Amino acid sequence: MADIAAPRHSAPVVTDADVKRTYGVDSSFGAVAPEDFEVVRARDVDDVVEVMKEAQARRIPVVPQGARTGLNGAAVATQGCIVLNTERLNAIEAIDPVEGIGIAGPGVVTEEFKKAARVERMFYPPDPASAASSTIGGNVATNAGGLCCIKYGVTADYIRGLQVVLPGGEIVTTGRRTATSSAGLDLTGLFLGSEGTLGVITQVVAKLVPAPEDPLTVLATFDSLTAAAEAIVALRRDPQPPCLLEFLDEPSIAAVQALADYGFPQGCAAALLVQSDRPGHVAEDTRRYADIMTAHGATEVALADDAQEADALLAGRRALNVALEARGPNLIEDMCVPIRALPRVVEEGRALCAAHGVEVTMSGHGGDGNLHPSIFFDPADPDSRARGFAAFGDLADLAIALGGTISGEHGIGTIKAPYLRRQVGDAAIARMRQIKAVFDPHGICNPGKTYTA
Ligand SMILES: Cc1cc2nc3c(=O)[nH]c(=O)nc-3n(C[C@H](O)[C@H](O)[C@H](O)COP(=O)(O)OP(=O)(O)OC[C@H]3O[C@@H](n4cnc5c(N)ncnc54)[C@H](O)[C@@H]3O)c2cc1C
């Protein structure tokens, strides 16, 4: 392997050892930085080109990186690699309400892009719970989902085109800037969810839609998981479905309430948070959602009267990740199953975890069937750790068995890599690797992650 300690590019390198270590890991469970790696914080596309030229010439692995909020290990440094961080490519180049597009550097923080669109009364819908810190580039590379997918879909539904720097330094422009185009193969789609394995994204052209109304929220609690799951199915069948439909089970609610009083009643089996943002119909929609949930056994229903109350009701959901961290070390699953399979996932998932002697909380984007079971165990205890990971694997298998996917939105990275083949099969993995070789013939882009592992 080449000596990365003697870089031949002029892009800025992080020299402080402590700072460098922080760039060695993402937010995945138990991530550890390797001993030997370089961190480049690219200032512009030229820096990226230079690094990708050098990396290919010297066969140095490159780990593209955004804000390191990823939960699957895809942005973790590997021994002898260059971490190529794109946070500083953070210019919002255009918000164009006429074309309905926004053009941004990959390092633009998701929330900042959403705010910029709002100024022009436009809306960039993708809304990962990490929006305040994740980057648009990272969102594209993971095909991030979030809280409002039930109505608006995922990041892939909003990406019109990209600029990408390939290994060797070639710049490729994919997709379209215009409203329509029928010119050639859809290369943009290949980069969505590619987790840094094909090249480095240096510009994102995103579709914007007219801004909706400020949402209102309904909070409903249930005595049984089945009742909550049936209410989700009924809400999905509403002719004007919600823009947000989040699910929390009893242990998730207890964790949130242990953090602060967010107004969730204790002791209920499940809670649903539901929103409408349909212009001119927000109050009417939320009242109807409340009635639907009452008809399906909701024991308590709280309806926000204004945007402030709506935010307050959602605050507990937004605090969930912090609350679960405060409860203890936990490994987050990210399974998406057909909506009707939700009760089975919750019941059977709990039983699988109990069989391994580990606790689990069930919560997530229930309206999409995208749950994030969080498995609690002691990572320092080898036996507890083995049981925790065994439960994690069993939950992945359960998702596949129910016709779902092992990742609804977080991607595969290293943590899920052992299970990908089980879901997609040998033939698909082989084709993914062949496609990678077209863009990255020497395999320097994020090797060892997702389908390359
Ligand atoms: C509290 C919390 C809540 C979260 N909630 C959600 C949620 O609701 N929905 C959801 O989908 N995810 C969620 N996530 C996961 C995470 O925020 C997303 O995966 C996000 O898209 C990662 O963005 P990032 O900028 O941090 O990328 P990183 O973590 O730095 O990288 C993620 C992947 O993108 C690649 N990458 C980054 N930048 C580039 C680039 N310029 N070119 C090529 N590849 C690149 C990396 O190689 C890696 O494979 C959450 C995470 C946390 C910590």
Side-chain angles (χ1 to χ4, degrees), residues 19-162:
V19 176
K20 192 171 103 173
R21 241 190 318 278
T22 65
Y23 286 94
V25 294
D26 62 11
S27 304
S28 57
F29 183 87
V32 180
E35 297 233 313
D36 184 26
F37 63 104
E38 177 185 284
V39 178
V40 171
R41 300 202 70 219
R43 295 160 299 191
D44 51 28
V45 179
D46 291 345
D47 280 347
V48 177
V49 168
E50 233 192 294
V51 170
M52 294 303 270
K53 263 188 194 160
E54 178 189 351
Q56 170 144 303
R58 301 174 69 197
R59 308 288 192 264
I60 300 171
V62 173
V63 177
Q65 192 184 73
R68 306 180 300 289
T69 65
L71 293 169
N72 63 22
V76 174
T78 49
Q79 181 67 11
C81 82
I82 300 174
V83 168
L84 183 44
N85 186 290
T86 55
E87 278 171 311
R88 289 170 76 182
L89 276 68
N90 59 359
I92 297 178
E93 293 162 39
I95 298 290
D96 186 338
V98 177
E99 291 292 346
I101 58 172
I103 304 181
V108 171
V109 170
T110 316
E111 191 60 52
E112 296 305 317
F113 192 56
K114 290 169 80 74
K115 278 186 194 156
R118 278 271 176 185
V119 171
E120 296 292 340
R121 285 181 292 150
M122 298 299 282
F123 184 43
Y124 174 67
D127 184 28
S130 53
S133 46
S134 70
T135 65
I136 292 281
N139 293 168
V140 171
T142 56
N143 190 15
L147 276 69
C148 64
C149 297
I150 180 171
K151 176 171 175 182
Y152 292 103
V154 295
T155 301
D157 297 311
Y158 294 89
I159 304 305
R160 278 200 185 169
L162 299 170

Side-chain angles (χ1 to χ4, degrees), residues 22-380:
T22 65
Y23 286 94
V25 294
D26 62 11
S27 304
S28 57
F29 183 87
V32 180
E35 297 233 313
D36 184 26
F37 63 104
E38 177 185 284
V39 178
V40 171
R41 300 202 70 219
R43 295 160 299 191
D44 51 28
V45 179
D46 291 345
D47 280 347
V48 177
V49 168
E50 233 192 294
V51 170
M52 294 303 270
K53 263 188 194 160
E54 178 189 351
Q56 170 144 303
R58 301 174 69 197
R59 308 288 192 264
I60 300 171
V62 173
V63 177
Q65 192 184 73
R68 306 180 300 289
T69 65
L71 293 169
N72 63 22
V76 174
T78 49
Q79 181 67 11
C81 82
I82 300 174
V83 168
L84 183 44
N85 186 290
T86 55
E87 278 171 311
R88 289 170 76 182
L89 276 68
N90 59 359
I92 297 178
E93 293 162 39
I95 298 290
D96 186 338
V98 177
E99 291 292 346
I101 58 172
I103 304 181
V108 171
V109 170
T110 316
E111 191 60 52
E112 296 305 317
F113 192 56
K114 290 169 80 74
K115 278 186 194 156
R118 278 271 176 185
V119 171
E120 296 292 340
R121 285 181 292 150
M122 298 299 282
F123 184 43
Y124 174 67
D127 184 28
S130 53
S133 46
S134 70
T135 65
I136 292 281
N139 293 168
V140 171
T142 56
N143 190 15
L147 276 69
C148 64
C149 297
I150 180 171
K151 176 171 175 182
Y152 292 103
V154 295
T155 301
D157 297 311
Y158 294 89
I159 304 305
R160 278 200 185 169
L162 299 170
Q163 182 193 69
V164 182
V165 179
L166 300 182
E170 190 182 9
I171 298 178
V172 177
T173 302
T174 76
R176 60 195 165 96
R177 275 68 184 153
T178 49
T180 63
S181 167
S182 181
L185 294 181
D186 175 17
L187 297 184
T188 309
L190 287 176
F191 286 87
L192 282 149
S194 63
E195 298 186 47
T197 58
L198 301 180
V200 180
I201 297 158
T202 46
Q203 188 190 60
V204 177
V205 181
K207 178 172 91 173
L208 306 177
V209 296
E213 202 163 303
D214 284 342
L216 286 181
T217 311
V218 193
L219 166 67
T221 54
F222 295 83
D223 276 346
S224 88
L225 291 169
T226 312
E230 281 168 2
I232 290 175
V233 173
L235 288 163
R236 291 273 324 196
R237 296 197 59 173
D238 191 86
Q240 297 295 341
C243 64
L244 177 148
L245 176 37
E246 294 286 305
F247 167 86
L248 292 92
D249 72 350
E250 194 274 332
S252 304
I253 295 167
V256 168
Q257 285 295 111
L259 197 66
D261 185 3
Y262 285 98
F264 288 106
Q266 299 280 15
C268 59
L272 296 182
L273 285 155
V274 193
Q275 284 192 332
S276 166
D277 66 357
R278 191 161 64 107
H281 299 276
V282 164
E284 161 200 335
D285 284 351
T286 43
R287 269 197 304 276
R288 195 174 62 258
Y289 301 154
D291 291 345
I292 290 171
M293 291 191 282
T294 304
H296 284 83
T299 45
E300 281 187 51
V301 178
L303 200 60
D305 282 332
D306 55 37
Q308 216 179 346
E309 265 184 47
D311 277 352
L313 284 180
L314 205 61
R317 165 61 185 98
R318 294 210 182 270
L320 179 65
N321 289 74
V322 177
L324 295 178
E325 260 177 46
R327 186 182 155 168
N330 64 90
L331 179 57
I332 302 181
E333 259 287 0
D334 169 36
M335 55 213 287
C336 192
V337 297
I339 316 292
R340 288 188 181 82
L342 269 180
R344 282 189 63 189
V345 167
V346 175
E347 299 291 1
E348 293 178 28
R350 279 182 168 172
L352 288 171
C353 291
H356 290 291
V358 291
E359 286 183 40
V360 66
T361 58
M362 295 274 182
S363 54
H365 315 306
D368 301 310
N370 182 193
L371 287 193
H372 297 314
S374 290
I375 305 164
F376 290 81
F377 56 89
D378 178 1

